[in-house]
Amino acid sequence: MATFSMDTSGIMRFYFSTVQIPQLADLSLAERVEKINQATTQLSVPEKMLLNVFKLLVIVPAFALILRTSTDWTSILWAALVILLYPFFIKPLQYSLAAQYLPEKG
């Protein structure tokens, strides 16, 4: 069963940046990226599936908009906007799911 990193009140912590994760706060950017990538590989199957479903929910509309460019050229602009905003939707979810697999600060 998938578990999410929770604070003491039982609410899932949602991180928008790796600096906000307490276990990574004092590390350099390269070290934070390495640690978060290692933690992401430890995600359970339901967690990986959840992350991949959210990725699809962002990517599929972009391709649908690209297909509409033959009738409405502004669709390509909307598709570009969706693709540019992709990291703002996916990375916080990835950080939040992976944070629970990071070793506690000690």
Side-chain angles (χ1 to χ4, degrees), residues 38-71:
Q38 289 173 354
T40 301
T41 62
Q42 297 176 6
L43 291 176
S44 67
V45 173
E47 291 167 336
K48 287 180 185 178
M49 192 163 84
L50 176 69
L51 187 59
N52 287 333
V53 166
F54 276 106
K55 288 178 183 179
L56 281 174
L57 288 174
V58 175
I59 292 172
V60 168
F63 282 106
L65 287 166
I66 290 170
L67 289 174
R68 290 180 36 116
T69 56
S70 63
T71 59

PDB file of all heavy atoms in Angstrom, residues 38-71:
ATOM      1  N   GLN A  38      17.720   8.939  -6.369  1.00  0.00           N
ATOM      2  CA  GLN A  38      17.857   7.651  -5.692  1.00  0.00           C
ATOM      3  C   GLN A  38      16.574   7.297  -4.956  1.00  0.00           C
ATOM      4  O   GLN A  38      16.125   6.147  -4.983  1.00  0.00           O
ATOM      5  CB  GLN A  38      19.026   7.676  -4.707  1.00  0.00           C
ATOM      6  CG  GLN A  38      20.387   7.703  -5.358  1.00  0.00           C
ATOM      7  CD  GLN A  38      21.511   7.907  -4.352  1.00  0.00           C
ATOM      8  OE1 GLN A  38      21.278   8.134  -3.165  1.00  0.00           O
ATOM      9  NE2 GLN A  38      22.741   7.828  -4.834  1.00  0.00           N
ATOM     10  N   ALA A  39      15.977   8.266  -4.293  1.00  0.00           N
ATOM     11  CA  ALA A  39      14.736   8.016  -3.560  1.00  0.00           C
ATOM     12  C   ALA A  39      13.591   7.708  -4.520  1.00  0.00           C
ATOM     13  O   ALA A  39      12.726   6.879  -4.220  1.00  0.00           O
ATOM     14  CB  ALA A  39      14.393   9.220  -2.691  1.00  0.00           C
ATOM     15  N   THR A  40      13.581   8.326  -5.688  1.00  0.00           N
ATOM     16  CA  THR A  40      12.526   8.081  -6.670  1.00  0.00           C
ATOM     17  C   THR A  40      12.581   6.643  -7.177  1.00  0.00           C
ATOM     18  O   THR A  40      11.536   6.052  -7.460  1.00  0.00           O
ATOM     19  CB  THR A  40      12.646   9.070  -7.845  1.00  0.00           C
ATOM     20  OG1 THR A  40      12.540  10.403  -7.334  1.00  0.00           O
ATOM     21  CG2 THR A  40      11.546   8.869  -8.864  1.00  0.00           C
ATOM     22  N   THR A  41      13.766   6.069  -7.270  1.00  0.00           N
ATOM     23  CA  THR A  41      13.865   4.674  -7.719  1.00  0.00           C
ATOM     24  C   THR A  41      13.281   3.709  -6.688  1.00  0.00           C
ATOM     25  O   THR A  41      12.973   2.574  -7.027  1.00  0.00           O
ATOM     26  CB  THR A  41      15.331   4.275  -8.007  1.00  0.00           C
ATOM     27  OG1 THR A  41      16.090   4.377  -6.812  1.00  0.00           O
ATOM     28  CG2 THR A  41      15.922   5.134  -9.101  1.00  0.00           C
ATOM     29  N   GLN A  42      13.111   4.144  -5.459  1.00  0.00           N
ATOM     30  CA  GLN A  42      12.574   3.290  -4.405  1.00  0.00           C
ATOM     31  C   GLN A  42      11.051   3.385  -4.277  1.00  0.00           C
ATOM     32  O   GLN A  42      10.468   2.730  -3.417  1.00  0.00           O
ATOM     33  CB  GLN A  42      13.217   3.643  -3.068  1.00  0.00           C
ATOM     34  CG  GLN A  42      14.701   3.403  -3.033  1.00  0.00           C
ATOM     35  CD  GLN A  42      15.323   3.854  -1.731  1.00  0.00           C
ATOM     36  OE1 GLN A  42      14.640   4.250  -0.798  1.00  0.00           O
ATOM     37  NE2 GLN A  42      16.640   3.796  -1.657  1.00  0.00           N
ATOM     38  N   LEU A  43      10.412   4.191  -5.110  1.00  0.00           N
ATOM     39  CA  LEU A  43       8.964   4.317  -5.038  1.00  0.00           C
ATOM     40  C   LEU A  43       8.294   2.964  -5.257  1.00  0.00           C
ATOM     41  O   LEU A  43       8.760   2.150  -6.052  1.00  0.00           O
ATOM     42  CB  LEU A  43       8.456   5.304  -6.093  1.00  0.00           C
ATOM     43  CG  LEU A  43       8.810   6.776  -5.909  1.00  0.00           C
ATOM     44  CD1 LEU A  43       8.302   7.578  -7.105  1.00  0.00           C
ATOM     45  CD2 LEU A  43       8.238   7.324  -4.631  1.00  0.00           C
ATOM     46  N   SER A  44       7.194   2.744  -4.570  1.00  0.00           N
ATOM     47  CA  SER A  44       6.454   1.503  -4.758  1.00  0.00           C
ATOM     48  C   SER A  44       5.727   1.543  -6.102  1.00  0.00           C
ATOM     49  O   SER A  44       5.611   2.599  -6.726  1.00  0.00           O
ATOM     50  CB  SER A  44       5.442   1.319  -3.622  1.00  0.00           C
ATOM     51  OG  SER A  44       4.439   2.310  -3.706  1.00  0.00           O
ATOM     52  N   VAL A  45       5.233   0.403  -6.536  1.00  0.00           N
ATOM     53  CA  VAL A  45       4.545   0.321  -7.825  1.00  0.00           C
ATOM     54  C   VAL A  45       3.333   1.258  -7.875  1.00  0.00           C
ATOM     55  O   VAL A  45       3.165   1.993  -8.862  1.00  0.00           O
ATOM     56  CB  VAL A  45       4.161  -1.137  -8.145  1.00  0.00           C
ATOM     57  CG1 VAL A  45       3.292  -1.215  -9.386  1.00  0.00           C
ATOM     58  CG2 VAL A  45       5.413  -1.978  -8.318  1.00  0.00           C
ATOM     59  N   PRO A  46       2.466   1.288  -6.854  1.00  0.00           N
ATOM     60  CA  PRO A  46       1.335   2.233  -6.924  1.00  0.00           C
ATOM     61  C   PRO A  46       1.778   3.696  -6.980  1.00  0.00           C
ATOM     62  O   PRO A  46       1.156   4.506  -7.663  1.00  0.00           O
ATOM     63  CB  PRO A  46       0.550   1.956  -5.642  1.00  0.00           C
ATOM     64  CG  PRO A  46       0.926   0.578  -5.242  1.00  0.00           C
ATOM     65  CD  PRO A  46       2.338   0.397  -5.694  1.00  0.00           C
ATOM     66  N   GLU A  47       2.860   4.021  -6.295  1.00  0.00           N
ATOM     67  CA  GLU A  47       3.355   5.395  -6.322  1.00  0.00           C
ATOM     68  C   GLU A  47       3.908   5.756  -7.701  1.00  0.00           C
ATOM     69  O   GLU A  47       3.665   6.854  -8.200  1.00  0.00           O
ATOM     70  CB  GLU A  47       4.426   5.596  -5.256  1.00  0.00           C
ATOM     71  CG  GLU A  47       3.883   5.546  -3.846  1.00  0.00           C
ATOM     72  CD  GLU A  47       4.964   5.431  -2.802  1.00  0.00           C
ATOM     73  OE1 GLU A  47       6.069   4.948  -3.097  1.00  0.00           O
ATOM     74  OE2 GLU A  47       4.683   5.831  -1.654  1.00  0.00           O
ATOM     75  N   LYS A  48       4.651   4.818  -8.298  1.00  0.00           N
ATOM     76  CA  LYS A  48       5.164   5.047  -9.655  1.00  0.00           C
ATOM     77  C   LYS A  48       4.014   5.189 -10.642  1.00  0.00           C
ATOM     78  O   LYS A  48       4.056   6.029 -11.543  1.00  0.00           O
ATOM     79  CB  LYS A  48       6.074   3.899 -10.088  1.00  0.00           C
ATOM     80  CG  LYS A  48       7.421   3.891  -9.411  1.00  0.00           C
ATOM     81  CD  LYS A  48       8.253   2.719  -9.885  1.00  0.00           C
ATOM     82  CE  LYS A  48       9.560   2.627  -9.122  1.00  0.00           C
ATOM     83  NZ  LYS A  48      10.357   1.473  -9.526  1.00  0.00           N
ATOM     84  N   MET A  49       2.989   4.368 -10.461  1.00  0.00           N
ATOM     85  CA  MET A  49       1.843   4.441 -11.363  1.00  0.00           C
ATOM     86  C   MET A  49       1.112   5.769 -11.196  1.00  0.00           C
ATOM     87  O   MET A  49       0.722   6.393 -12.190  1.00  0.00           O
ATOM     88  CB  MET A  49       0.885   3.277 -11.109  1.00  0.00           C
ATOM     89  CG  MET A  49      -0.161   3.149 -12.188  1.00  0.00           C
ATOM     90  SD  MET A  49      -0.965   1.556 -12.184  1.00  0.00           S
ATOM     91  CE  MET A  49      -2.198   1.809 -10.951  1.00  0.00           C
ATOM     92  N   LEU A  50       0.953   6.237  -9.974  1.00  0.00           N
ATOM     93  CA  LEU A  50       0.327   7.531  -9.731  1.00  0.00           C
ATOM     94  C   LEU A  50       1.114   8.645 -10.402  1.00  0.00           C
ATOM     95  O   LEU A  50       0.535   9.504 -11.083  1.00  0.00           O
ATOM     96  CB  LEU A  50       0.225   7.794  -8.224  1.00  0.00           C
ATOM     97  CG  LEU A  50      -0.329   9.145  -7.807  1.00  0.00           C
ATOM     98  CD1 LEU A  50      -1.815   9.227  -8.146  1.00  0.00           C
ATOM     99  CD2 LEU A  50      -0.104   9.369  -6.329  1.00  0.00           C
ATOM    100  N   LEU A  51       2.422   8.622 -10.256  1.00  0.00           N
ATOM    101  CA  LEU A  51       3.273   9.641 -10.877  1.00  0.00           C
ATOM    102  C   LEU A  51       3.163   9.588 -12.395  1.00  0.00           C
ATOM    103  O   LEU A  51       3.034  10.626 -13.055  1.00  0.00           O
ATOM    104  CB  LEU A  51       4.722   9.442 -10.428  1.00  0.00           C
ATOM    105  CG  LEU A  51       5.732  10.495 -10.829  1.00  0.00           C
ATOM    106  CD1 LEU A  51       5.345  11.867 -10.307  1.00  0.00           C
ATOM    107  CD2 LEU A  51       7.114  10.114 -10.313  1.00  0.00           C
ATOM    108  N   ASN A  52       3.152   8.383 -12.962  1.00  0.00           N
ATOM    109  CA  ASN A  52       3.045   8.246 -14.416  1.00  0.00           C
ATOM    110  C   ASN A  52       1.680   8.662 -14.941  1.00  0.00           C
ATOM    111  O   ASN A  52       1.570   9.239 -16.027  1.00  0.00           O
ATOM    112  CB  ASN A  52       3.367   6.812 -14.838  1.00  0.00           C
ATOM    113  CG  ASN A  52       4.845   6.503 -14.728  1.00  0.00           C
ATOM    114  OD1 ASN A  52       5.676   7.392 -14.830  1.00  0.00           O
ATOM    115  ND2 ASN A  52       5.170   5.254 -14.485  1.00  0.00           N
ATOM    116  N   VAL A  53       0.620   8.410 -14.178  1.00  0.00           N
ATOM    117  CA  VAL A  53      -0.718   8.851 -14.588  1.00  0.00           C
ATOM    118  C   VAL A  53      -0.777  10.374 -14.622  1.00  0.00           C
ATOM    119  O   VAL A  53      -1.320  10.963 -15.563  1.00  0.00           O
ATOM    120  CB  VAL A  53      -1.804   8.268 -13.662  1.00  0.00           C
ATOM    121  CG1 VAL A  53      -3.134   8.972 -13.839  1.00  0.00           C
ATOM    122  CG2 VAL A  53      -1.958   6.769 -13.909  1.00  0.00           C
ATOM    123  N   PHE A  54      -0.189  11.027 -13.630  1.00  0.00           N
ATOM    124  CA  PHE A  54      -0.169  12.491 -13.638  1.00  0.00           C
ATOM    125  C   PHE A  54       0.662  13.027 -14.797  1.00  0.00           C
ATOM    126  O   PHE A  54       0.320  14.050 -15.388  1.00  0.00           O
ATOM    127  CB  PHE A  54       0.328  13.048 -12.302  1.00  0.00           C
ATOM    128  CG  PHE A  54      -0.758  13.153 -11.279  1.00  0.00           C
ATOM    129  CD1 PHE A  54      -0.822  12.255 -10.234  1.00  0.00           C
ATOM    130  CD2 PHE A  54      -1.726  14.128 -11.381  1.00  0.00           C
ATOM    131  CE1 PHE A  54      -1.829  12.339  -9.302  1.00  0.00           C
ATOM    132  CE2 PHE A  54      -2.747  14.227 -10.453  1.00  0.00           C
ATOM    133  CZ  PHE A  54      -2.801  13.324  -9.402  1.00  0.00           C
ATOM    134  N   LYS A  55       1.745  12.346 -15.130  1.00  0.00           N
ATOM    135  CA  LYS A  55       2.540  12.753 -16.298  1.00  0.00           C
ATOM    136  C   LYS A  55       1.690  12.674 -17.559  1.00  0.00           C
ATOM    137  O   LYS A  55       1.715  13.581 -18.402  1.00  0.00           O
ATOM    138  CB  LYS A  55       3.778  11.869 -16.446  1.00  0.00           C
ATOM    139  CG  LYS A  55       4.845  12.123 -15.412  1.00  0.00           C
ATOM    140  CD  LYS A  55       6.009  11.169 -15.604  1.00  0.00           C
ATOM    141  CE  LYS A  55       7.063  11.349 -14.545  1.00  0.00           C
ATOM    142  NZ  LYS A  55       8.190  10.406 -14.709  1.00  0.00           N
ATOM    143  N   LEU A  56       0.942  11.592 -17.693  1.00  0.00           N
ATOM    144  CA  LEU A  56       0.070  11.445 -18.868  1.00  0.00           C
ATOM    145  C   LEU A  56      -1.018  12.516 -18.905  1.00  0.00           C
ATOM    146  O   LEU A  56      -1.371  13.002 -19.979  1.00  0.00           O
ATOM    147  CB  LEU A  56      -0.572  10.056 -18.881  1.00  0.00           C
ATOM    148  CG  LEU A  56       0.313   8.926 -19.365  1.00  0.00           C
ATOM    149  CD1 LEU A  56      -0.400   7.597 -19.186  1.00  0.00           C
ATOM    150  CD2 LEU A  56       0.703   9.127 -20.806  1.00  0.00           C
ATOM    151  N   LEU A  57      -1.546  12.876 -17.738  1.00  0.00           N
ATOM    152  CA  LEU A  57      -2.588  13.901 -17.685  1.00  0.00           C
ATOM    153  C   LEU A  57      -2.077  15.262 -18.144  1.00  0.00           C
ATOM    154  O   LEU A  57      -2.857  16.117 -18.558  1.00  0.00           O
ATOM    155  CB  LEU A  57      -3.169  14.007 -16.273  1.00  0.00           C
ATOM    156  CG  LEU A  57      -4.047  12.847 -15.836  1.00  0.00           C
ATOM    157  CD1 LEU A  57      -4.449  13.005 -14.373  1.00  0.00           C
ATOM    158  CD2 LEU A  57      -5.277  12.726 -16.725  1.00  0.00           C
ATOM    159  N   VAL A  58      -0.779  15.456 -18.089  1.00  0.00           N
ATOM    160  CA  VAL A  58      -0.195  16.710 -18.567  1.00  0.00           C
ATOM    161  C   VAL A  58       0.216  16.591 -20.036  1.00  0.00           C
ATOM    162  O   VAL A  58       0.016  17.514 -20.823  1.00  0.00           O
ATOM    163  CB  VAL A  58       1.021  17.111 -17.691  1.00  0.00           C
ATOM    164  CG1 VAL A  58       1.708  18.334 -18.247  1.00  0.00           C
ATOM    165  CG2 VAL A  58       0.574  17.357 -16.261  1.00  0.00           C
ATOM    166  N   ILE A  59       0.771  15.454 -20.420  1.00  0.00           N
ATOM    167  CA  ILE A  59       1.303  15.291 -21.773  1.00  0.00           C
ATOM    168  C   ILE A  59       0.220  15.085 -22.828  1.00  0.00           C
ATOM    169  O   ILE A  59       0.307  15.645 -23.933  1.00  0.00           O
ATOM    170  CB  ILE A  59       2.321  14.129 -21.804  1.00  0.00           C
ATOM    171  CG1 ILE A  59       3.554  14.525 -21.002  1.00  0.00           C
ATOM    172  CG2 ILE A  59       2.719  13.774 -23.219  1.00  0.00           C
ATOM    173  CD1 ILE A  59       4.534  13.397 -20.798  1.00  0.00           C
ATOM    174  N   VAL A  60      -0.799  14.297 -22.526  1.00  0.00           N
ATOM    175  CA  VAL A  60      -1.831  13.974 -23.524  1.00  0.00           C
ATOM    176  C   VAL A  60      -2.542  15.232 -24.049  1.00  0.00           C
ATOM    177  O   VAL A  60      -2.721  15.374 -25.258  1.00  0.00           O
ATOM    178  CB  VAL A  60      -2.819  12.929 -22.976  1.00  0.00           C
ATOM    179  CG1 VAL A  60      -4.041  12.792 -23.854  1.00  0.00           C
ATOM    180  CG2 VAL A  60      -2.116  11.582 -22.827  1.00  0.00           C
ATOM    181  N   PRO A  61      -2.948  16.173 -23.183  1.00  0.00           N
ATOM    182  CA  PRO A  61      -3.564  17.393 -23.736  1.00  0.00           C
ATOM    183  C   PRO A  61      -2.632  18.174 -24.659  1.00  0.00           C
ATOM    184  O   PRO A  61      -3.092  18.781 -25.625  1.00  0.00           O
ATOM    185  CB  PRO A  61      -3.912  18.219 -22.492  1.00  0.00           C
ATOM    186  CG  PRO A  61      -4.039  17.223 -21.404  1.00  0.00           C
ATOM    187  CD  PRO A  61      -3.041  16.147 -21.725  1.00  0.00           C
ATOM    188  N   ALA A  62      -1.339  18.140 -24.380  1.00  0.00           N
ATOM    189  CA  ALA A  62      -0.398  18.842 -25.257  1.00  0.00           C
ATOM    190  C   ALA A  62      -0.422  18.237 -26.655  1.00  0.00           C
ATOM    191  O   ALA A  62      -0.464  18.968 -27.657  1.00  0.00           O
ATOM    192  CB  ALA A  62       1.013  18.778 -24.674  1.00  0.00           C
ATOM    193  N   PHE A  63      -0.437  16.919 -26.742  1.00  0.00           N
ATOM    194  CA  PHE A  63      -0.492  16.277 -28.057  1.00  0.00           C
ATOM    195  C   PHE A  63      -1.839  16.500 -28.734  1.00  0.00           C
ATOM    196  O   PHE A  63      -1.905  16.659 -29.953  1.00  0.00           O
ATOM    197  CB  PHE A  63      -0.176  14.782 -27.943  1.00  0.00           C
ATOM    198  CG  PHE A  63       1.287  14.515 -27.794  1.00  0.00           C
ATOM    199  CD1 PHE A  63       1.814  14.132 -26.578  1.00  0.00           C
ATOM    200  CD2 PHE A  63       2.149  14.673 -28.865  1.00  0.00           C
ATOM    201  CE1 PHE A  63       3.163  13.888 -26.428  1.00  0.00           C
ATOM    202  CE2 PHE A  63       3.506  14.436 -28.737  1.00  0.00           C
ATOM    203  CZ  PHE A  63       4.015  14.047 -27.507  1.00  0.00           C
ATOM    204  N   ALA A  64      -2.905  16.532 -27.949  1.00  0.00           N
ATOM    205  CA  ALA A  64      -4.217  16.819 -28.527  1.00  0.00           C
ATOM    206  C   ALA A  64      -4.241  18.230 -29.112  1.00  0.00           C
ATOM    207  O   ALA A  64      -4.817  18.455 -30.190  1.00  0.00           O
ATOM    208  CB  ALA A  64      -5.306  16.662 -27.471  1.00  0.00           C
ATOM    209  N   LEU A  65      -3.612  19.161 -28.434  1.00  0.00           N
ATOM    210  CA  LEU A  65      -3.541  20.530 -28.950  1.00  0.00           C
ATOM    211  C   LEU A  65      -2.685  20.604 -30.215  1.00  0.00           C
ATOM    212  O   LEU A  65      -2.998  21.356 -31.139  1.00  0.00           O
ATOM    213  CB  LEU A  65      -2.992  21.469 -27.876  1.00  0.00           C
ATOM    214  CG  LEU A  65      -3.955  21.776 -26.734  1.00  0.00           C
ATOM    215  CD1 LEU A  65      -3.214  22.413 -25.570  1.00  0.00           C
ATOM    216  CD2 LEU A  65      -5.082  22.662 -27.213  1.00  0.00           C
ATOM    217  N   ILE A  66      -1.619  19.841 -30.259  1.00  0.00           N
ATOM    218  CA  ILE A  66      -0.781  19.822 -31.462  1.00  0.00           C
ATOM    219  C   ILE A  66      -1.571  19.292 -32.654  1.00  0.00           C
ATOM    220  O   ILE A  66      -1.449  19.797 -33.773  1.00  0.00           O
ATOM    221  CB  ILE A  66       0.502  19.000 -31.219  1.00  0.00           C
ATOM    222  CG1 ILE A  66       1.409  19.752 -30.243  1.00  0.00           C
ATOM    223  CG2 ILE A  66       1.236  18.717 -32.522  1.00  0.00           C
ATOM    224  CD1 ILE A  66       2.589  18.950 -29.740  1.00  0.00           C
ATOM    225  N   LEU A  67      -2.412  18.291 -32.427  1.00  0.00           N
ATOM    226  CA  LEU A  67      -3.228  17.753 -33.514  1.00  0.00           C
ATOM    227  C   LEU A  67      -4.233  18.764 -34.050  1.00  0.00           C
ATOM    228  O   LEU A  67      -4.625  18.704 -35.212  1.00  0.00           O
ATOM    229  CB  LEU A  67      -3.964  16.493 -33.048  1.00  0.00           C
ATOM    230  CG  LEU A  67      -3.093  15.264 -32.821  1.00  0.00           C
ATOM    231  CD1 LEU A  67      -3.920  14.142 -32.218  1.00  0.00           C
ATOM    232  CD2 LEU A  67      -2.451  14.824 -34.126  1.00  0.00           C
ATOM    233  N   ARG A  68      -4.631  19.706 -33.232  1.00  0.00           N
ATOM    234  CA  ARG A  68      -5.602  20.723 -33.647  1.00  0.00           C
ATOM    235  C   ARG A  68      -4.977  21.862 -34.442  1.00  0.00           C
ATOM    236  O   ARG A  68      -5.687  22.740 -34.925  1.00  0.00           O
ATOM    237  CB  ARG A  68      -6.302  21.319 -32.419  1.00  0.00           C
ATOM    238  CG  ARG A  68      -7.241  20.384 -31.716  1.00  0.00           C
ATOM    239  CD  ARG A  68      -7.857  21.087 -30.516  1.00  0.00           C
ATOM    240  NE  ARG A  68      -8.104  22.498 -30.790  1.00  0.00           N
ATOM    241  CZ  ARG A  68      -9.302  23.057 -30.822  1.00  0.00           C
ATOM    242  NH1 ARG A  68     -10.358  22.328 -30.607  1.00  0.00           N
ATOM    243  NH2 ARG A  68      -9.440  24.342 -31.064  1.00  0.00           N
ATOM    244  N   THR A  69      -3.681  21.881 -34.610  1.00  0.00           N
ATOM    245  CA  THR A  69      -3.034  23.018 -35.280  1.00  0.00           C
ATOM    246  C   THR A  69      -3.446  23.170 -36.734  1.00  0.00           C
ATOM    247  O   THR A  69      -3.311  24.264 -37.289  1.00  0.00           O
ATOM    248  CB  THR A  69      -1.496  22.911 -35.204  1.00  0.00           C
ATOM    249  OG1 THR A  69      -1.086  21.675 -35.761  1.00  0.00           O
ATOM    250  CG2 THR A  69      -1.017  23.034 -33.782  1.00  0.00           C
ATOM    251  N   SER A  70      -3.957  22.120 -37.351  1.00  0.00           N
ATOM    252  CA  SER A  70      -4.390  22.243 -38.749  1.00  0.00           C
ATOM    253  C   SER A  70      -5.633  23.119 -38.870  1.00  0.00           C
ATOM    254  O   SER A  70      -5.863  23.734 -39.905  1.00  0.00           O
ATOM    255  CB  SER A  70      -4.657  20.870 -39.354  1.00  0.00           C
ATOM    256  OG  SER A  70      -5.721  20.244 -38.673  1.00  0.00           O
ATOM    257  N   THR A  71      -6.439  23.206 -37.821  1.00  0.00           N
ATOM    258  CA  THR A  71      -7.646  24.039 -37.861  1.00  0.00           C
ATOM    259  C   THR A  71      -7.483  25.349 -37.094  1.00  0.00           C
ATOM    260  O   THR A  71      -8.180  26.311 -37.368  1.00  0.00           O
ATOM    261  CB  THR A  71      -8.854  23.274 -37.286  1.00  0.00           C
ATOM    262  OG1 THR A  71      -8.573  22.889 -35.946  1.00  0.00           O
ATOM    263  CG2 THR A  71      -9.170  22.062 -38.137  1.00  0.00           C
TER     264      THR A  71
END
